Amino acid sequence: MTPRGESPSDDDVDDARDAASAEALLGLFMLVSALVYVDRGIASSAAVSGAPRSAREPAGRGLQGALGCSYAAYGALNAAFMIGLLSGAPAFSAMANKACAFRLIAIGLAMAAVGELGCALAPTCGWAFAARALVGAGEASFIALAAPFIDDKAPKGAKTMWLAMFYACVPFGVAFGIFFGGAVAPTMGWRAPFALNAVATIPVALFCFMSPPVRMRGVGERACESSGGSRGAREGGSLFRACGRDCKELFKYEVYVVTIFGYAVYTAVIGVYAVWGPKAGFSIFKDYLRTSTRADMVLGGVTVVSGIAGTLGGGTAVDVFGSSMTNALRTCAAAAFAGFIFLELAFRCTNFHAFVAFLLFGQMFAFFLQAPVNAVVLWSVPPRLRPLACSMTTVTIHLLGDVPTPPLFGHVLERDGPPTPARWRHTCAAITMLFVVAAAVFERAARRAVDAPD
């Protein structure tokens, strides 16, 4: 702070400018994160309002009826998105070594917008499968590259909180997507929310592409001084050979490896809740919720409140008690176990208001670990490996987590005929038990991190 009566020095002006630039970048990435996850909420809302074709309803309802998707096939659409994400994440992280990472985010957002339009225009389930894969591949650029930028720009002592603010946009985006889909689909059809989200994403992609590039510490710094991303594309073979060497080095960091395994187990549960959670609540308490739109509004509201409170709470806790990997991992372990207890209680409730209360606390604790676990991913590896660490985290948690579980969950639901409320309860309670496994893995990673540099 400049003493009264003295003019600010050039260093003070530069510091203020850098702080404002960092805050603007955080704000931009929070907006993009919300748009990215609105898509997930729209897809979840489409599950609530949809129903497959059957003898009772020959035409079905919504997306499932229009495209002829069974419960298992609808779960496969989520797997298609994840296939795109798994392919795109390592590709974009490899290109970030030679191309400007900020430009790559813009290109990925444009791809995601095209995929969203493909979802809106899909005539068949196969078409929708390909469109969802393109959305996932495009979003991979942002998911792989945004967090290292934030870790670079965040002030010391507040890095986890900045990550928490960024990740708080995940539940907000998902919940807004559920609200949005539930409000728009009854009057404009299930295709409209996908199309409108694409229209909202396009100008943001153009803004990122036209803005001055932002350097990321340790990767692609020279590329940001030139015009671009073409060099990385021309050198694809060498890039992926280098990526292979970096992957071999990356998986030598034990704390990182154990952490992402725990994260994958956690994601196996979260993936089911993201795809089937609103549908489960609506099916169990249909007499109270009455319509799919009301279910979207009520359960989406629970998600946004619990998600934002939990994510910000996790980031605050780590910064308050010390921004170390050990503290972050023990926060993850405690949050996963608490989430298990409250979600198990939720699906054993027969009273709707008790269900909502337990669901709110269960989801809050589940989101509590979002910022800490991603902070550990960034802190457990050298700076130059952070984009690859984020990408391989994305690949691992989805490949072992929420790629297989939503279709498997859907298969179990319809194994003996149309799913009953009791089967919804038992299946949700069973998958939630994986949170206990995640808690144990995070605690093991915390013990491994004791002697590691924080």
Side-chain angles (χ1 to χ4, degrees):
M1 184 173 180
T2 305
R4 184 174 296 179
E6 294 184 12
S7 299
S9 67
D10 290 343
D11 287 343
D12 290 334
V13 172
D14 289 343
D15 288 346
R17 187 182 297 115
D18 289 345
S21 176
E23 290 172 0
L25 184 67
L26 175 63
L28 173 64
F29 282 171
M30 289 173 68
L31 171 63
V32 174
S33 182
L35 285 172
V36 163
Y37 284 94
V38 162
D39 166 74
R40 318 286 180 89
I42 290 171
S44 184
S45 175
V48 176
S49 60
R53 300 168 187 172
S54 64
R56 187 174 180 178
E57 291 184 282
R61 293 196 310 272
L63 182 153
Q64 287 178 273
L67 303 185
C69 293
S70 65
Y71 284 103
Y74 183 81
L77 291 183
N78 182 69
F81 172 89
M82 293 304 171
I83 289 169
L85 195 67
L86 302 188
S87 303
F92 278 110
S93 68
M95 287 188 285
N97 287 309
K98 295 292 184 180
C100 179
F102 198 72
R103 292 279 189 263
L104 292 175
I105 288 175
I107 292 169
L109 289 176
M111 290 170 57
V114 172
E116 292 266 38
L117 288 174
C119 294
L121 298 172
T124 65
C125 200
W127 178 297
F129 189 95
R132 295 305 294 159
L134 182 59
V135 173
E139 289 184 7
S141 66
F142 180 73
I143 291 170
L145 301 173
F149 275 122
I150 294 172
D151 191 53
D152 281 349
K153 303 299 181 182
K156 291 182 179 179
K159 288 184 178 293
T160 316
M161 186 60 193
W162 274 46
L163 286 171
M165 294 169 66
F166 171 65
Y167 286 111
C169 295
V170 173
F172 174 81
V174 171
F176 184 81
I178 293 172
F179 286 144
F180 184 61
V184 172
T187 55
M188 299 178 65
W190 64 267
R191 300 176 186 274
F194 289 106
L196 292 172
N197 195 46
V199 170
T201 303
I202 290 170
V204 179
L206 289 173
F207 176 83
C208 291
F209 192 80
M210 300 301 293
S211 296
V214 182
R215 293 180 178 85
M216 181 188 294
R217 180 164 55 97
V219 296
E221 294 180 347
R222 291 184 179 179
C224 288
E225 297 172 1
S226 64
S227 58
S230 59
R231 182 182 172 190
R234 290 195 301 267
E235 299 179 3
S238 61
L239 283 177
F240 284 101
R241 283 193 295 272
C243 181
R245 291 193 298 269
D246 287 343
C247 281
K248 186 176 180 180
E249 178 184 351
L250 179 67
F251 284 99
K252 291 180 180 179
Y253 292 94
E254 186 179 6
V255 172
Y256 170 77
V257 172
V258 178
T259 297
I260 62 170
F261 178 72
Y263 199 7
V265 176
Y266 159 87
T267 305
V269 183
I270 293 297
V272 169
Y273 277 89
V275 175
W276 296 114
K279 183 77 169 181
F282 179 53
S283 299
I284 294 169
F285 293 100
K286 193 169 185 177
D287 290 342
Y288 184 88
L289 291 169
R290 295 192 298 277
T291 67
S292 62
T293 299
R294 179 176 166 82
D296 283 340
M297 298 302 172
V298 173
L299 300 175
V302 171
T303 298
V304 73
V305 171
S306 60
I308 292 174
T311 306
L312 295 179
T316 302
V318 174
D319 283 338
V320 167
F321 292 107
S323 298
S324 69
M325 287 194 290
T326 302
N327 285 341
L329 286 163
R330 292 217 157 111
T331 298
C332 292
F337 189 73
F340 158 73
I341 292 172
F342 281 100
L343 290 171
E344 286 290 325
L345 289 172
F347 284 102
R348 296 181 188 279
C349 288
T350 56
N351 178 277
F352 178 74
H353 295 95
F355 167 77
V356 168
F358 284 126
L359 182 67
L360 188 147
F361 281 104
Q363 289 189 153
M364 184 183 72
F365 282 114
F367 281 107
F368 208 82
L369 63 79
Q370 279 288 337
V373 74
N374 282 284
V376 173
V377 167
L378 295 169
W379 298 344
S380 59
V381 300
R384 70 177 185 83
L385 291 178
R386 290 178 307 163
L388 182 62
C390 291
S391 296
M392 295 312 297
T393 298
T394 299
V395 169
T396 303
I397 66 173
H398 294 310
L399 190 63
L400 301 181
D402 58 3
V403 166
T405 51
L408 178 62
F409 187 91
H411 175 73
V412 171
L413 280 175
E414 58 185 358
R415 182 179 53 187
D416 299 318
T420 63
R423 195 178 305 152
W424 279 105
R425 288 181 185 278
H426 296 154
T427 312
C428 287
I431 194 71
T432 304
M433 293 182 70
L434 288 175
F435 271 171
V436 178
V437 179
V441 175
F442 287 134
E443 178 57 31
R444 179 178 177 182
R447 291 196 296 270
R448 293 290 189 272
V450 169
D451 296 324
D454 292 334

